[in-house]
Amino acid sequence: MVKSTRHAKYELYYHIVFVPKYRRSNLTGKTKERLETIFAEICEDKGLELAESEVMPDHVHLFIGSPPKNAPSLIVNWVKGISARKYNQRYDDRVKWTRSYYVGTAGSASKGAVERYIAEQEGSDA
């Protein structure tokens, strides 16, 4: 859906993938649920749309809609930095992310395809 600001009409979605430090497969169970909640909180606080999210045992997929004022690198920094800080303050176990990440853009034509891909990750052994 096309959104607008005072001076722009936009439909920007970013497919973001990142991994925990040492690519450990520890993003399961309660950790997975807690991270999904924290990602939703961050997006709400920052005025982003969390269209789809999937926390896999050893990596995270997020599909986030954003106004054009936010650079993709800024969104990734928000999500990774704030999520690690909030998680580590709230819970005894620790989450650390690597510095690397993947970000790809998606317009209206491929938005559904990316959402389906992320939703299908749950059942695969990626």
Side-chain angles (χ1 to χ4, degrees), residues 18-27 31 35 39 57-60 79-81 83-88 92-100:
F18 53 95
V19 298
K21 196 98 169 171
Y22 312 115
R23 191 128 184 173
R24 294 194 174 126
S25 297
N26 58 352
L27 306 179
T31 301
L35 284 171
F39 293 142
D58 65 346
H59 65 283
V60 174
V79 170
K80 289 171 63 176
S83 67
R85 187 170 58 253
K86 282 187 174 193
Y87 190 93
N88 294 339
D92 291 333
D93 54 331
R94 295 281 181 239
V95 168
K96 290 183 181 180
W97 307 117
T98 62
R99 291 187 291 168
S100 59

mmCIF file of all heavy atoms in Angstrom, residues 18-27 31 35 39 57-60 79-81 83-88 92-100:
data_model
loop_
_atom_site.group_PDB
_atom_site.id
_atom_site.type_symbol
_atom_site.label_atom_id
_atom_site.label_comp_id
_atom_site.label_asym_id
_atom_site.label_seq_id
_atom_site.Cartn_x
_atom_site.Cartn_y
_atom_site.Cartn_z
ATOM 1 N N PHE A 18 20.267 -11.017 9.436
ATOM 2 C CA PHE A 18 21.484 -10.933 10.224
ATOM 3 C C PHE A 18 21.588 -12.157 11.134
ATOM 4 O O PHE A 18 20.624 -12.893 11.308
ATOM 5 C CB PHE A 18 21.579 -9.624 11.013
ATOM 6 C CG PHE A 18 20.387 -9.315 11.872
ATOM 7 C CD1 PHE A 18 20.373 -9.666 13.211
ATOM 8 C CD2 PHE A 18 19.292 -8.647 11.347
ATOM 9 C CE1 PHE A 18 19.281 -9.371 14.006
ATOM 10 C CE2 PHE A 18 18.197 -8.338 12.137
ATOM 11 C CZ PHE A 18 18.196 -8.702 13.472
ATOM 12 N N VAL A 19 22.787 -12.376 11.668
ATOM 13 C CA VAL A 19 23.061 -13.599 12.420
ATOM 14 C C VAL A 19 23.631 -13.262 13.798
ATOM 15 O O VAL A 19 24.236 -12.213 13.985
ATOM 16 C CB VAL A 19 24.041 -14.523 11.664
ATOM 17 C CG1 VAL A 19 23.462 -14.979 10.353
ATOM 18 C CG2 VAL A 19 25.374 -13.854 11.450
ATOM 19 N N PRO A 20 23.465 -14.192 14.755
ATOM 20 C CA PRO A 20 24.084 -13.983 16.065
ATOM 21 C C PRO A 20 25.593 -14.215 15.984
ATOM 22 O O PRO A 20 26.088 -14.884 15.076
ATOM 23 C CB PRO A 20 23.410 -15.014 16.962
ATOM 24 C CG PRO A 20 22.905 -16.063 16.042
ATOM 25 C CD PRO A 20 22.641 -15.399 14.732
ATOM 26 N N LYS A 21 26.299 -13.645 16.928
ATOM 27 C CA LYS A 21 27.748 -13.807 17.011
ATOM 28 C C LYS A 21 28.096 -15.297 17.016
ATOM 29 O O LYS A 21 27.429 -16.080 17.686
ATOM 30 C CB LYS A 21 28.235 -13.147 18.300
ATOM 31 C CG LYS A 21 29.691 -12.892 18.342
ATOM 32 C CD LYS A 21 29.942 -11.473 17.961
ATOM 33 C CE LYS A 21 31.384 -11.121 18.266
ATOM 34 N NZ LYS A 21 31.732 -9.857 17.739
ATOM 35 N N TYR A 22 29.086 -15.672 16.259
ATOM 36 C CA TYR A 22 29.575 -17.050 16.128
ATOM 37 C C TYR A 22 28.537 -17.981 15.499
ATOM 38 O O TYR A 22 28.677 -19.188 15.558
ATOM 39 C CB TYR A 22 30.036 -17.612 17.475
ATOM 40 C CG TYR A 22 30.938 -16.674 18.216
ATOM 41 C CD1 TYR A 22 30.553 -16.117 19.430
ATOM 42 C CD2 TYR A 22 32.168 -16.291 17.682
ATOM 43 C CE1 TYR A 22 31.380 -15.229 20.103
ATOM 44 C CE2 TYR A 22 33.002 -15.407 18.349
ATOM 45 C CZ TYR A 22 32.603 -14.879 19.559
ATOM 46 O OH TYR A 22 33.412 -13.999 20.218
ATOM 47 N N ARG A 23 27.479 -17.406 14.912
ATOM 48 C CA ARG A 23 26.397 -18.145 14.238
ATOM 49 C C ARG A 23 25.911 -19.343 15.066
ATOM 50 O O ARG A 23 25.687 -20.434 14.563
ATOM 51 C CB ARG A 23 26.822 -18.584 12.849
ATOM 52 C CG ARG A 23 25.659 -19.112 12.034
ATOM 53 C CD ARG A 23 25.549 -18.477 10.713
ATOM 54 N NE ARG A 23 24.340 -18.989 10.040
ATOM 55 C CZ ARG A 23 23.890 -18.533 8.924
ATOM 56 N NH1 ARG A 23 24.501 -17.555 8.334
ATOM 57 N NH2 ARG A 23 22.810 -19.017 8.387
ATOM 58 N N ARG A 24 25.764 -19.111 16.336
ATOM 59 C CA ARG A 24 25.250 -20.154 17.222
ATOM 60 C C ARG A 24 23.758 -20.350 16.977
ATOM 61 O O ARG A 24 23.032 -19.398 16.735
ATOM 62 C CB ARG A 24 25.491 -19.772 18.679
ATOM 63 C CG ARG A 24 26.949 -19.745 19.017
ATOM 64 C CD ARG A 24 27.158 -19.705 20.515
ATOM 65 N NE ARG A 24 28.570 -19.815 20.817
ATOM 66 C CZ ARG A 24 29.241 -18.953 21.558
ATOM 67 N NH1 ARG A 24 28.619 -17.929 22.095
ATOM 68 N NH2 ARG A 24 30.515 -19.123 21.778
ATOM 69 N N SER A 25 23.296 -21.575 17.098
ATOM 70 C CA SER A 25 21.877 -21.895 16.879
ATOM 71 C C SER A 25 21.117 -21.815 18.193
ATOM 72 O O SER A 25 20.557 -22.799 18.666
ATOM 73 C CB SER A 25 21.748 -23.281 16.258
ATOM 74 O OG SER A 25 22.352 -23.313 14.997
ATOM 75 N N ASN A 26 21.088 -20.621 18.786
ATOM 76 C CA ASN A 26 20.443 -20.471 20.089
ATOM 77 C C ASN A 26 19.208 -19.565 20.052
ATOM 78 O O ASN A 26 18.704 -19.185 21.086
ATOM 79 C CB ASN A 26 21.444 -19.963 21.125
ATOM 80 C CG ASN A 26 22.080 -18.638 20.723
ATOM 81 O OD1 ASN A 26 21.890 -18.174 19.606
ATOM 82 N ND2 ASN A 26 22.830 -18.037 21.625
ATOM 83 N N LEU A 27 18.707 -19.236 18.879
ATOM 84 C CA LEU A 27 17.532 -18.361 18.775
ATOM 85 C C LEU A 27 16.272 -19.217 18.684
ATOM 86 O O LEU A 27 15.527 -19.172 17.701
ATOM 87 C CB LEU A 27 17.665 -17.450 17.552
ATOM 88 C CG LEU A 27 18.944 -16.627 17.459
ATOM 89 C CD1 LEU A 27 18.943 -15.785 16.190
ATOM 90 C CD2 LEU A 27 19.118 -15.744 18.684
ATOM 91 N N THR A 31 13.730 -17.531 23.693
ATOM 92 C CA THR A 31 14.570 -16.503 23.082
ATOM 93 C C THR A 31 13.924 -16.003 21.793
ATOM 94 O O THR A 31 13.848 -14.799 21.551
ATOM 95 C CB THR A 31 15.986 -17.058 22.784
ATOM 96 O OG1 THR A 31 16.561 -17.510 23.998
ATOM 97 C CG2 THR A 31 16.869 -15.996 22.160
ATOM 98 N N LEU A 35 12.572 -12.180 21.236
ATOM 99 C CA LEU A 35 13.116 -11.341 20.160
ATOM 100 C C LEU A 35 12.021 -10.836 19.234
ATOM 101 O O LEU A 35 12.041 -9.676 18.817
ATOM 102 C CB LEU A 35 14.176 -12.111 19.374
ATOM 103 C CG LEU A 35 15.531 -12.250 20.059
ATOM 104 C CD1 LEU A 35 16.415 -13.216 19.288
ATOM 105 C CD2 LEU A 35 16.210 -10.896 20.198
ATOM 106 N N PHE A 39 11.483 -6.952 18.475
ATOM 107 C CA PHE A 39 11.515 -6.387 17.120
ATOM 108 C C PHE A 39 10.238 -5.590 16.832
ATOM 109 O O PHE A 39 10.281 -4.514 16.244
ATOM 110 C CB PHE A 39 11.701 -7.479 16.063
ATOM 111 C CG PHE A 39 13.042 -8.164 16.106
ATOM 112 C CD1 PHE A 39 13.136 -9.523 15.864
ATOM 113 C CD2 PHE A 39 14.211 -7.464 16.384
ATOM 114 C CE1 PHE A 39 14.365 -10.177 15.893
ATOM 115 C CE2 PHE A 39 15.440 -8.104 16.425
ATOM 116 C CZ PHE A 39 15.523 -9.462 16.181
ATOM 117 N N PRO A 57 16.777 -20.555 14.049
ATOM 118 C CA PRO A 57 17.732 -20.897 15.110
ATOM 119 C C PRO A 57 19.083 -20.183 14.992
ATOM 120 O O PRO A 57 19.699 -19.865 15.997
ATOM 121 C CB PRO A 57 17.911 -22.414 14.957
ATOM 122 C CG PRO A 57 16.623 -22.864 14.337
ATOM 123 C CD PRO A 57 16.216 -21.745 13.425
ATOM 124 N N ASP A 58 19.535 -19.897 13.750
ATOM 125 C CA ASP A 58 20.857 -19.286 13.597
ATOM 126 C C ASP A 58 20.876 -18.008 12.763
ATOM 127 O O ASP A 58 21.945 -17.541 12.378
ATOM 128 C CB ASP A 58 21.848 -20.302 13.021
ATOM 129 C CG ASP A 58 21.483 -20.727 11.606
ATOM 130 O OD1 ASP A 58 20.344 -20.452 11.158
ATOM 131 O OD2 ASP A 58 22.335 -21.336 10.945
ATOM 132 N N HIS A 59 19.713 -17.434 12.462
ATOM 133 C CA HIS A 59 19.646 -16.142 11.773
ATOM 134 C C HIS A 59 18.245 -15.550 11.879
ATOM 135 O O HIS A 59 17.309 -16.230 12.287
ATOM 136 C CB HIS A 59 20.092 -16.249 10.313
ATOM 137 C CG HIS A 59 19.210 -17.097 9.447
ATOM 138 N ND1 HIS A 59 19.231 -18.463 9.459
ATOM 139 C CD2 HIS A 59 18.283 -16.748 8.521
ATOM 140 C CE1 HIS A 59 18.361 -18.929 8.578
ATOM 141 N NE2 HIS A 59 17.762 -17.904 8.003
ATOM 142 N N VAL A 60 18.130 -14.283 11.511
ATOM 143 C CA VAL A 60 16.861 -13.554 11.624
ATOM 144 C C VAL A 60 16.510 -12.950 10.263
ATOM 145 O O VAL A 60 17.373 -12.389 9.583
ATOM 146 C CB VAL A 60 16.978 -12.415 12.669
ATOM 147 C CG1 VAL A 60 15.725 -11.558 12.694
ATOM 148 C CG2 VAL A 60 17.276 -12.969 14.045
ATOM 149 N N VAL A 79 17.557 -1.877 14.709
ATOM 150 C CA VAL A 79 17.023 -3.202 15.034
ATOM 151 C C VAL A 79 18.055 -4.037 15.786
ATOM 152 O O VAL A 79 17.744 -4.633 16.823
ATOM 153 C CB VAL A 79 16.550 -3.925 13.753
ATOM 154 C CG1 VAL A 79 16.218 -5.375 14.041
ATOM 155 C CG2 VAL A 79 15.341 -3.224 13.152
ATOM 156 N N LYS A 80 19.280 -4.072 15.298
ATOM 157 C CA LYS A 80 20.302 -4.898 15.948
ATOM 158 C C LYS A 80 20.739 -4.304 17.291
ATOM 159 O O LYS A 80 20.817 -5.015 18.289
ATOM 160 C CB LYS A 80 21.507 -5.073 15.014
ATOM 161 C CG LYS A 80 21.196 -5.974 13.831
ATOM 162 C CD LYS A 80 22.304 -5.977 12.803
ATOM 163 C CE LYS A 80 23.590 -6.510 13.340
ATOM 164 N NZ LYS A 80 24.638 -6.584 12.299
ATOM 165 N N GLY A 81 21.026 -3.025 17.321
ATOM 166 C CA GLY A 81 21.525 -2.395 18.542
ATOM 167 C C GLY A 81 20.503 -2.361 19.653
ATOM 168 O O GLY A 81 20.779 -2.755 20.800
ATOM 169 N N SER A 83 17.684 -4.112 19.901
ATOM 170 C CA SER A 83 17.228 -5.454 20.305
ATOM 171 C C SER A 83 18.227 -6.114 21.252
ATOM 172 O O SER A 83 17.826 -6.712 22.257
ATOM 173 C CB SER A 83 16.972 -6.342 19.090
ATOM 174 O OG SER A 83 18.168 -6.637 18.401
ATOM 175 N N ALA A 84 19.520 -6.002 20.956
ATOM 176 C CA ALA A 84 20.526 -6.599 21.849
ATOM 177 C C ALA A 84 20.490 -5.925 23.216
ATOM 178 O O ALA A 84 20.520 -6.598 24.254
ATOM 179 C CB ALA A 84 21.915 -6.489 21.228
ATOM 180 N N ARG A 85 20.418 -4.605 23.227
ATOM 181 C CA ARG A 85 20.401 -3.878 24.501
ATOM 182 C C ARG A 85 19.166 -4.236 25.325
ATOM 183 O O ARG A 85 19.262 -4.557 26.519
ATOM 184 C CB ARG A 85 20.479 -2.371 24.248
ATOM 185 C CG ARG A 85 20.647 -1.567 25.522
ATOM 186 C CD ARG A 85 20.959 -0.097 25.266
ATOM 187 N NE ARG A 85 19.954 0.586 24.469
ATOM 188 C CZ ARG A 85 20.116 0.953 23.187
ATOM 189 N NH1 ARG A 85 21.245 0.701 22.552
ATOM 190 N NH2 ARG A 85 19.161 1.584 22.543
ATOM 191 N N LYS A 86 17.981 -4.201 24.694
ATOM 192 C CA LYS A 86 16.749 -4.515 25.430
ATOM 193 C C LYS A 86 16.763 -5.962 25.927
ATOM 194 O O LYS A 86 16.389 -6.228 27.075
ATOM 195 C CB LYS A 86 15.519 -4.291 24.538
ATOM 196 C CG LYS A 86 15.129 -2.845 24.396
ATOM 197 C CD LYS A 86 13.817 -2.723 23.643
ATOM 198 C CE LYS A 86 13.367 -1.276 23.637
ATOM 199 N NZ LYS A 86 11.990 -1.118 23.194
ATOM 200 N N TYR A 87 17.162 -6.874 25.053
ATOM 201 C CA TYR A 87 17.163 -8.289 25.441
ATOM 202 C C TYR A 87 18.119 -8.514 26.610
ATOM 203 O O TYR A 87 17.766 -9.171 27.589
ATOM 204 C CB TYR A 87 17.557 -9.177 24.258
ATOM 205 C CG TYR A 87 17.341 -10.639 24.544
ATOM 206 C CD1 TYR A 87 16.154 -11.258 24.195
ATOM 207 C CD2 TYR A 87 18.297 -11.402 25.201
ATOM 208 C CE1 TYR A 87 15.931 -12.594 24.486
ATOM 209 C CE2 TYR A 87 18.096 -12.725 25.499
ATOM 210 C CZ TYR A 87 16.904 -13.322 25.136
ATOM 211 O OH TYR A 87 16.685 -14.646 25.440
ATOM 212 N N ASN A 88 19.319 -7.987 26.518
ATOM 213 C CA ASN A 88 20.332 -8.213 27.551
ATOM 214 C C ASN A 88 19.982 -7.533 28.874
ATOM 215 O O ASN A 88 20.395 -8.003 29.935
ATOM 216 C CB ASN A 88 21.707 -7.770 27.047
ATOM 217 C CG ASN A 88 22.186 -8.625 25.894
ATOM 218 O OD1 ASN A 88 21.720 -9.748 25.702
ATOM 219 N ND2 ASN A 88 23.087 -8.092 25.102
ATOM 220 N N ASP A 92 18.410 -12.954 31.538
ATOM 221 C CA ASP A 92 19.713 -13.414 32.015
ATOM 222 C C ASP A 92 20.616 -13.904 30.885
ATOM 223 O O ASP A 92 21.823 -13.711 30.927
ATOM 224 C CB ASP A 92 19.549 -14.522 33.060
ATOM 225 C CG ASP A 92 18.947 -13.992 34.348
ATOM 226 O OD1 ASP A 92 19.137 -12.794 34.638
ATOM 227 O OD2 ASP A 92 18.291 -14.771 35.058
ATOM 228 N N ASP A 93 20.050 -14.612 29.904
ATOM 229 C CA ASP A 93 20.892 -15.055 28.795
ATOM 230 C C ASP A 93 21.204 -13.863 27.885
ATOM 231 O O ASP A 93 20.548 -12.832 27.958
ATOM 232 C CB ASP A 93 20.240 -16.196 28.009
ATOM 233 C CG ASP A 93 18.842 -15.872 27.515
ATOM 234 O OD1 ASP A 93 18.157 -15.075 28.169
ATOM 235 O OD2 ASP A 93 18.430 -16.428 26.478
ATOM 236 N N ARG A 94 22.212 -13.962 27.077
ATOM 237 C CA ARG A 94 22.691 -12.841 26.272
ATOM 238 C C ARG A 94 22.502 -13.083 24.787
ATOM 239 O O ARG A 94 22.588 -14.213 24.314
ATOM 240 C CB ARG A 94 24.182 -12.601 26.527
ATOM 241 C CG ARG A 94 24.491 -12.168 27.944
ATOM 242 C CD ARG A 94 24.166 -10.693 28.088
ATOM 243 N NE ARG A 94 24.470 -10.204 29.424
ATOM 244 C CZ ARG A 94 23.552 -9.668 30.209
ATOM 245 N NH1 ARG A 94 22.306 -9.585 29.840
ATOM 246 N NH2 ARG A 94 23.898 -9.201 31.384
ATOM 247 N N VAL A 95 22.262 -11.989 24.061
ATOM 248 C CA VAL A 95 22.198 -12.016 22.600
ATOM 249 C C VAL A 95 23.236 -11.033 22.083
ATOM 250 O O VAL A 95 23.307 -9.895 22.547
ATOM 251 C CB VAL A 95 20.791 -11.609 22.095
ATOM 252 C CG1 VAL A 95 20.797 -11.357 20.611
ATOM 253 C CG2 VAL A 95 19.773 -12.661 22.447
ATOM 254 N N LYS A 96 24.056 -11.486 21.152
ATOM 255 C CA LYS A 96 25.028 -10.622 20.484
ATOM 256 C C LYS A 96 24.911 -10.863 18.995
ATOM 257 O O LYS A 96 24.811 -12.009 18.544
ATOM 258 C CB LYS A 96 26.460 -10.964 20.920
ATOM 259 C CG LYS A 96 26.785 -10.607 22.331
ATOM 260 C CD LYS A 96 28.240 -10.925 22.617
ATOM 261 C CE LYS A 96 28.585 -10.606 24.053
ATOM 262 N NZ LYS A 96 29.990 -10.906 24.347
ATOM 263 N N TRP A 97 24.922 -9.791 18.217
ATOM 264 C CA TRP A 97 24.832 -9.889 16.761
ATOM 265 C C TRP A 97 26.198 -9.624 16.137
ATOM 266 O O TRP A 97 26.990 -8.851 16.668
ATOM 267 C CB TRP A 97 23.829 -8.871 16.211
ATOM 268 C CG TRP A 97 22.477 -8.922 16.826
ATOM 269 C CD1 TRP A 97 21.863 -7.937 17.547
ATOM 270 C CD2 TRP A 97 21.542 -10.008 16.800
ATOM 271 N NE1 TRP A 97 20.623 -8.348 17.965
ATOM 272 C CE2 TRP A 97 20.394 -9.617 17.517
ATOM 273 C CE3 TRP A 97 21.569 -11.286 16.234
ATOM 274 C CZ2 TRP A 97 19.284 -10.431 17.675
ATOM 275 C CZ3 TRP A 97 20.463 -12.099 16.397
ATOM 276 C CH2 TRP A 97 19.338 -11.675 17.105
ATOM 277 N N THR A 98 26.444 -10.235 14.980
ATOM 278 C CA THR A 98 27.655 -9.901 14.227
ATOM 279 C C THR A 98 27.473 -8.506 13.639
ATOM 280 O O THR A 98 26.357 -7.980 13.580
ATOM 281 C CB THR A 98 27.904 -10.886 13.073
ATOM 282 O OG1 THR A 98 26.813 -10.807 12.158
ATOM 283 C CG2 THR A 98 28.072 -12.310 13.579
ATOM 284 N N ARG A 99 28.559 -7.922 13.154
ATOM 285 C CA ARG A 99 28.466 -6.599 12.531
ATOM 286 C C ARG A 99 27.882 -6.677 11.132
ATOM 287 O O ARG A 99 27.394 -5.686 10.604
ATOM 288 C CB ARG A 99 29.837 -5.941 12.485
ATOM 289 C CG ARG A 99 30.333 -5.554 13.865
ATOM 290 C CD ARG A 99 31.600 -4.762 13.800
ATOM 291 N NE ARG A 99 32.692 -5.629 13.348
ATOM 292 C CZ ARG A 99 33.881 -5.195 12.976
ATOM 293 N NH1 ARG A 99 34.139 -3.910 12.982
ATOM 294 N NH2 ARG A 99 34.806 -6.040 12.598
ATOM 295 N N SER A 100 27.922 -7.834 10.516
ATOM 296 C CA SER A 100 27.469 -7.954 9.131
ATOM 297 C C SER A 100 25.956 -8.150 9.044
ATOM 298 O O SER A 100 25.308 -8.560 10.003
ATOM 299 C CB SER A 100 28.192 -9.112 8.446
ATOM 300 O OG SER A 100 27.935 -10.302 9.135
#
